[in-house]
Amino acid sequence: MMKKIFEWLIAIIIALVLLFIVRTFLFIGYVVDGESMEPTFHDEDRLIVNKLVKNIGQIDNGDVIVFHANKEADFIKRVIGLPGDTVEMKNNKLYINGTQVNERYLNNDIKTDDFSTRTIQGSKSDVIPNGEYLVLGDNRSNSRDSREIGFVHEQDIVGKVNLRYYPFNQIDVNFDK
């Protein structure tokens, strides 16, 4: 009897250690709060965030990330500009490094006010500083993003969204189309 209890205890401890490792270093669950990423994500969507991606520097323009906006809240937004990029929104068209970007994930009815890298809060030049990212919500008229909070520091990034698993009829891994 004691042998069985000991085996179960060891199995539970191993499971808890593995869970701790996975949640701390690899993946974490996230629940969308609000409408700032519509139509891509909706309030209460359930996601898996890959924390490993940020550690190996694989965040690209168009990726959807979760980051610490402040001590109380994490935000979910789309990466629009990488360190060294210039970004400009002019006449509802996005330009990265002078090249127009087709934003297929946006609702075409929503208009975005003009801005540039230089007009972002805390910006000191026309390029995004090293170690920082420019992020925007897909629902541009209802989003607190870099236009309001400034650039996102690399150390504040939790990770990249890899999977929407709920609602079940909208399971997806591709969020740039």
Side-chain angles (χ1 to χ4, degrees):
M1 178 72 167
M2 285 303 286
K3 184 178 178 186
K4 286 282 189 201
I5 292 173
F6 182 72
E7 287 174 358
W8 272 103
L9 186 61
I10 294 297
I12 291 170
I13 290 171
I14 290 171
L16 290 173
V17 168
L18 288 173
L19 179 64
F20 172 78
I21 290 170
V22 167
R23 287 188 52 90
T24 302
F25 301 108
L26 302 176
F27 301 98
I28 192 165
Y30 180 78
V31 179
V32 176
D33 181 21
E35 301 169 347
S36 72
M37 284 300 292
E38 289 183 0
T40 308
F41 299 107
H42 300 277
D43 191 39
E44 299 295 319
D45 280 3
R46 306 253 192 299
L47 314 171
I48 297 293
V49 176
N50 180 343
K51 296 171 78 173
L52 188 61
V53 169
K54 86 168 206 160
N55 296 328
I56 56 177
Q58 292 185 342
I59 295 177
D60 294 317
N61 282 330
D63 287 347
V64 178
I65 63 168
V66 172
F67 62 95
H68 303 302
N70 53 49
K71 291 181 181 180
E72 295 85 37
D74 288 346
F75 284 2
I76 178 173
K77 303 294 177 202
R78 187 175 301 276
V79 175
I80 299 298
L82 304 173
D85 284 350
T86 60
V87 176
E88 180 178 30
M89 179 66 73
K90 191 171 182 181
N91 298 322
N92 215 43
K93 291 181 177 38
L94 176 66
Y95 298 88
I96 300 175
N97 300 322
T99 302
Q100 184 179 342
V101 176
N102 180 11
E103 297 184 281
R104 299 176 300 277
Y105 41 82
L106 293 181
N107 178 341
N108 292 330
D109 298 335
I110 294 179
K111 305 298 179 207
T112 306
D113 292 338
D114 291 352
F115 72 90
S116 71
T117 309
R118 181 167 286 290
T119 63
I120 298 297
Q121 177 182 332
S123 179
K124 295 179 174 97
S125 74
D126 289 331
V127 298
I128 298 171
N130 201 19
E132 300 190 17
Y133 296 82
L134 190 149
V135 297
L136 297 175
D138 289 355
N139 184 359
R140 305 274 164 84
S141 63
N142 187 19
S143 177
R144 289 189 63 214
D145 49 40
S146 286
R147 296 170 295 171
E148 182 178 337
I149 64 173
F151 298 116
V152 173
H153 302 287
E154 190 171 51
Q155 66 267 19
D156 292 331
I157 296 173
V158 174
K160 175 181 167 181
V161 176
N162 279 125
L163 171 71
R164 174 181 35 228
Y165 66 90
Y166 184 84
F168 298 125
N169 65 340
Q170 294 180 3
I171 292 174
D172 199 358
V173 295
N174 187 9
F175 309 113
D176 63 348
K177 303 212 178 340

